[in-house]
Amino acid sequence: DGDGDADVLSASQQDDRIAWYENGVVANDECSDAIQLVSEMAVDFNSSFATYSADAPARSCGGGISGADPLDIWYVFTAPSSGPASVSTCGTADFDTTLEVYSGHCGALISEGCRDNFTGCSGSTSLIGFNVTAFTTYYVRLAGRADATGTGEIKAIYPTAFANEDCSTARPIGIGETAYGNVGAGDSGV
């Protein structure tokens, strides 16, 4: 990243894992630096150097030492189609995690749900389920209860079939920004 220290990007196609470690800094410490989550691909994390986010709303669950503002790290994904989704640290983190999902954009986030612990997840880890809307971007805030930090993996699962994959269901676009993507798209036969 050009700052002169040793950075590590680790990816393994064999076990579907990606990890980014910045020397003493968390690369996704702020919402604006959120790391992309790909459906069903686990991502290793280390929140040991996380700080309080400058432009994030008070979280809805899990309380930090300061009452509401946690030491946190951020992830993001855009749902290609509508349906049920989940984000999980279930049984994979070495500390008590909380997960909050937001729509909107950094600086103007709208909470879609928050989860602190999930029955069936070991080690006070979390899993949150929610519904996504096609072409909507979701931000995920991973934090620790009472400002705990540590390591683990996070995994999102969301619908990957495109609602507009065929000509008959083409999505109209207008003037201005239009969210798009083709990861997971199939051959429409045209």
Side-chain angles (χ1 to χ4, degrees):
D1 64 6
D3 63 6
D5 64 5
D7 303 326
V8 177
L9 174 62
S10 171
S12 170
Q13 199 170 24
Q14 189 155 359
D15 64 3
D16 293 331
R17 296 168 70 114
I18 297 174
W20 171 264
Y21 301 105
E22 172 90 15
N23 187 18
V25 177
V26 178
N28 54 333
D29 196 34
E30 295 291 334
C31 178
S32 58
D33 298 318
I35 291 174
Q36 182 75 36
L37 289 173
V38 176
S39 187
E40 299 191 46
M41 181 178 282
V43 177
D44 289 336
F45 68 83
N46 183 343
S47 65
S48 298
F49 296 101
T51 63
Y52 300 102
S53 291
D55 63 353
R59 71 177 162 178
S60 302
C61 65
I65 291 172
S66 62
D69 299 322
L71 299 171
D72 53 21
I73 55 179
W74 292 85
Y75 295 89
V76 64
F77 69 91
T78 299
S81 60
S82 299
S86 65
V87 178
S88 175
T89 60
C90 190
T92 67
D94 62 5
F95 66 104
D96 184 349
T97 62
T98 63
L99 295 167
E100 187 154 12
V101 176
Y102 300 91
S103 58
H105 57 84
C106 298
L109 295 169
I110 301 161
S111 180
E112 298 291 331
C114 189
R115 187 66 186 208
D116 178 19
N117 304 336
F118 184 80
T119 303
C121 291
S122 63
S124 299
T125 53
S126 302
L127 181 146
I128 184 169
F130 53 102
N131 288 315
V132 294
T133 302
F135 309 108
T136 301
T137 298
Y138 294 91
Y139 290 88
V140 179
R141 183 187 216 174
L142 189 160
R145 183 156 182 78
D147 288 338
T149 61
T151 61
E153 69 180 36
I154 184 170
K155 185 177 190 178
I157 299 174
Y158 52 88
T160 56
F162 281 84
N164 65 329
E165 189 161 44
D166 294 315
C167 188
S168 63
T169 57
R171 180 176 170 227
I173 59 171
I175 297 173
E177 289 186 28
T178 301
Y180 71 93
N182 64 355
V183 174
D187 182 359
S188 64
V190 178

